[in-house]
Amino acid sequence: VYKSGYGTINEKNLSVYAMANFDADGMRGNFGLRYISTDAESDYFKLQADGTYADELSTNKESYNDVLPSINIAFDVAPDVIIRTSASQVISRPNYADMFSASSLAGYNDGTAGNEVLNTGNVGLEPFKATQADLGVEWYFSPDGLFGASFFIKDISSFITSAQILDQSIGIIDPNSGKDEWTVSTKKNGTGGQIQGIELQLQDAFENGLGYAANYTFADSDADAENYPDQVSVFSDSSKHTVNLVGFYEMDDFSARVAYNWRSEYMIRELP
């Protein structure tokens, strides 16, 4: 049990940034470029042909790099109205829990043939990566008041999903089936996802110290069905509707805040 659960992750990251600002009559913004390079490795005890674990540690190593551009522009169309637009490529790194190379067997020599599973992580997972853009308008209707509306879109070229890979040879023959045919249960990078929607926000504060902030997001998302073992083209963890409400009271020597958050149903996928 100790060897099947033991694993380490060592990740080295290099990032280089460059950004430039610009300003013209009624317009301002910035553009930038980010380079990232990552080397990841995971120590683990390797499974042997008899289903036991080696005494010495093995190491899996992987690496990736990306160049990520971005641009942000704001237009002052009236004294109290601003139009903002932006576009960028962004990443979110994989969870360490999905990267451990530690592995375990299920169904090995359990008296039943055909249920053999190897559970393992994937140190070679690449980040969640998206090309995204948005366009929004902001109306400042009072010194502390704001109403905003924006449209956004994310074209997702890489994300993390579960994988059930059938009929894999792993160098271990199950005594019950007499075969080296395993289902490998792991994580992989999926492709072909998209999220688009609108966001509305409203906030204001009053001279008596009371104030509020509210926002609503509608997000329509989908991903290619072949990314998922269940073959359902619903993007994991994405809700169509999200609401956040905040009421507050703030004075020089006292403040209080109450918040309410709600999101509609969403798909959760987990490895068995």
Side-chain angles (χ1 to χ4, degrees):
V1 176
Y2 166 75
K3 290 184 177 180
S4 66
Y6 178 85
T8 65
I9 295 291
N10 185 7
E11 187 176 271
K12 296 179 180 179
N13 299 308
L14 171 67
S15 296
V16 179
Y17 306 84
M19 187 182 75
N21 297 315
F22 57 89
D23 197 342
D25 186 26
M27 181 183 71
R28 62 192 181 280
N30 60 69
F31 58 89
L33 200 64
R34 176 186 179 195
Y35 171 79
I36 62 103
S37 175
T38 297
D39 297 309
E41 60 181 53
S42 178
D43 292 334
Y44 67 106
F45 289 101
K46 190 174 183 179
L47 278 164
Q48 302 180 111
D50 61 356
T52 63
Y53 291 88
D55 292 326
E56 301 296 327
L57 285 169
S58 297
T59 303
N60 284 339
K61 299 181 179 181
E62 296 290 347
S63 62
Y64 59 84
N65 58 76
D66 272 300
V67 177
L68 307 171
S70 67
I71 185 169
N72 300 276
I73 307 175
F75 300 92
D76 299 316
V77 296
D80 56 355
V81 177
I82 300 174
I83 291 178
R84 299 184 189 273
T85 185
S86 68
S88 62
Q89 285 191 324
V90 296
I91 65 167
S92 176
R93 298 184 187 277
N95 292 325
Y96 289 138
D98 297 331
M99 295 174 61
F100 288 105
S101 292
S103 58
S104 63
L105 301 179
Y108 177 75
N109 197 23
D110 65 350
T112 302
N115 66 338
E116 297 80 26
V117 178
L118 171 69
N119 296 299
T120 185
N122 182 1
V123 74
L125 287 174
E126 295 186 356
F128 180 115
K129 184 177 181 180
T131 300
Q132 61 185 29
D134 63 75
L135 175 65
V137 58
E138 300 172 355
W139 173 37
Y140 295 88
F141 56 84
S142 75
D144 297 304
L146 163 67
F147 173 75
S150 62
F151 170 78
F152 62 86
I153 185 169
K154 296 177 183 287
D155 183 41
I156 302 162
S157 59
S158 176
F159 58 92
I160 312 301
T161 183
S162 57
Q164 307 292 309
I165 309 172
L166 306 178
D167 301 325
Q168 298 298 297
S169 174
I170 65 170
I172 300 175
I173 296 175
D174 178 62
N176 301 134
S177 66
K179 299 178 180 179
D180 181 12
E181 293 181 359
W182 296 77
T183 296
V184 176
S185 180
T186 186
K187 293 285 188 176
K188 70 173 184 178
N189 284 103
T191 60
Q194 188 177 86
I195 301 174
Q196 59 184 354
I198 59 171
E199 182 177 12
L200 305 175
Q201 58 176 323
L202 178 65
Q203 66 182 52
D204 201 2
F206 309 102
E207 293 183 0
N208 60 5
L210 293 173
Y212 65 88
N215 66 63
Y216 164 75
T217 302
F218 170 80
D220 184 30
S221 64
D222 69 316
D224 293 340
E226 59 262 28
N227 286 309
Y228 304 113
D230 57 22
Q231 293 293 292
V232 177
S233 57
V234 175
F235 201 90
S236 297
D237 304 314
S238 179
S239 297
K240 279 190 177 295
H241 308 281
T242 304
V243 175
N244 298 288
L245 303 173
V246 177
F248 59 86
Y249 176 76
E250 292 187 356
M251 300 299 286
D252 292 339
D253 55 355
F254 177 80
S255 66
R257 184 176 296 261
V258 60
Y260 171 78
N261 310 101
W262 175 84
R263 62 185 294 190
S264 60
E265 63 185 10
Y266 54 95
M267 174 76 78
I268 296 178
R269 291 181 171 95
E270 297 179 349
L271 290 176

